Amino acid sequence: MGMARGVTAAIILMVVGQQAVAADLAHPACVQQAGASVTEAPSPWQIRLRALGVVTEDSGYVNAVPGSGLSYSNTVTPELDISYFFTDNIAAELILGTTYANIEGQGMIGALGNVGKVWLLPPTLTLQYHFTNLGAFRPYVGAGVNYTIFYNQDAGSADALKIKNTFGTALQVGFDYMVDQHWGVNFDVKKLFLKPDFDVTVGGAKLTGKAALDPWLIGAGVTYRF
């Protein structure tokens, strides 16, 4: 009877010991797996810094002057954008940057030469769809709205110039190529549909018109995902 009790006690100790060892081995694995999960989950916030080329369309006119036309200078400027990812595929992007445009008379008002110079701030908000099944290459498309603010407006050959702030729409296509979890390179093209009205005074005559800027925004830079 004593031997049977001893054998039974030994079996119980062996079973309890094996369960304890198994629990100890499983616990670090769970902790490691949980840690890996935290590391792999990306932040919803992302920023980009780009060099941005602003290429305008040379179109527009002065009312009551048939055959009048306008052209605008192209520029390169730094630009910052901030993105928030609602899901892996859906994100909103806000771009921030400012630049200037020299305005030249064309056609029947070509003799005016430089009509004036204006600075513009065109914050643009787009809703994007990101394709995530191509590895490090992550293309996207987007569409959104723009509100352009015109400031520091200086008349050239005109007596006075006032371009009015206006809303526009935007289309977008681009891609990120991610070097690692956080850093990548970006190329992006946006088309803004932007046609502000303006008031101009030339030789004492007050006139109105429309500046059909409709610029292309072509940018390249770096991406950082938090």
Side-chain angles (χ1 to χ4, degrees):
M1 182 66 69
M3 182 177 293
R5 290 178 179 174
V7 171
T8 301
I11 292 172
I12 292 172
L13 288 173
M14 291 175 61
V15 171
V16 171
Q18 289 176 346
Q19 290 178 341
V21 171
D24 289 339
L25 291 174
H27 181 67
C30 292
V31 172
Q32 183 177 3
Q33 186 174 4
S37 175
V38 171
T39 301
E40 291 170 2
S43 165
W45 292 100
Q46 176 178 280
I47 61 172
R48 299 187 186 95
L49 183 62
R50 302 187 184 105
L52 188 70
V54 182
V55 182
T56 59
E57 292 190 6
D58 293 331
S59 183
Y61 54 85
V62 176
N63 294 325
V65 183
S68 61
L70 297 170
S71 67
Y72 321 96
S73 58
N74 301 323
T75 58
V76 177
T77 186
E79 177 258 323
L80 172 71
D81 83 53
I82 304 169
S83 298
Y84 183 87
F85 283 78
F86 301 100
T87 69
D88 288 342
N89 301 104
I90 305 297
E93 178 194 78
L94 175 66
I95 72 165
L96 301 169
T98 188
T99 188
Y100 67 89
N102 286 304
I103 305 169
E104 304 286 333
Q106 298 289 318
M108 292 298 294
I109 60 171
L112 291 176
N114 179 262
V115 177
K117 178 180 178 180
V118 60
W119 282 81
L120 54 152
L121 176 67
T124 303
L125 180 65
T126 60
L127 185 65
Q128 303 170 333
Y129 184 85
H130 291 250
F131 300 88
T132 57
N133 57 348
L134 299 173
F137 179 64
R138 300 177 184 177
Y140 56 85
V141 294
V145 294
N146 160 268
Y147 184 73
T148 299
I149 300 166
F150 297 92
Y151 65 100
N152 285 355
Q153 303 188 46
D154 297 320
S157 58
D159 301 324
L161 175 67
K162 174 63 176 178
I163 302 178
K164 300 177 182 179
N165 300 342
T166 188
F167 282 98
T169 56
L171 296 176
Q172 176 184 34
V173 62
F175 69 85
D176 293 301
Y177 187 87
M178 302 305 295
V179 179
D180 58 27
Q181 183 181 4
H182 297 289
W183 290 97
V185 294
N186 174 262
F187 181 77
D188 183 274
V189 177
K190 293 182 182 72
K191 175 66 172 179
L192 301 188
F193 298 92
L194 185 63
K195 295 179 173 64
D197 295 318
F198 65 85
D199 298 326
V200 63
T201 302
V202 179
K206 295 182 179 180
L207 303 168
T208 62
K210 187 176 290 290
L213 298 169
D214 291 343
W216 290 93
L217 308 182
I218 304 170
V222 294
T223 299
Y224 183 79
R225 184 76 178 266
F226 289 94

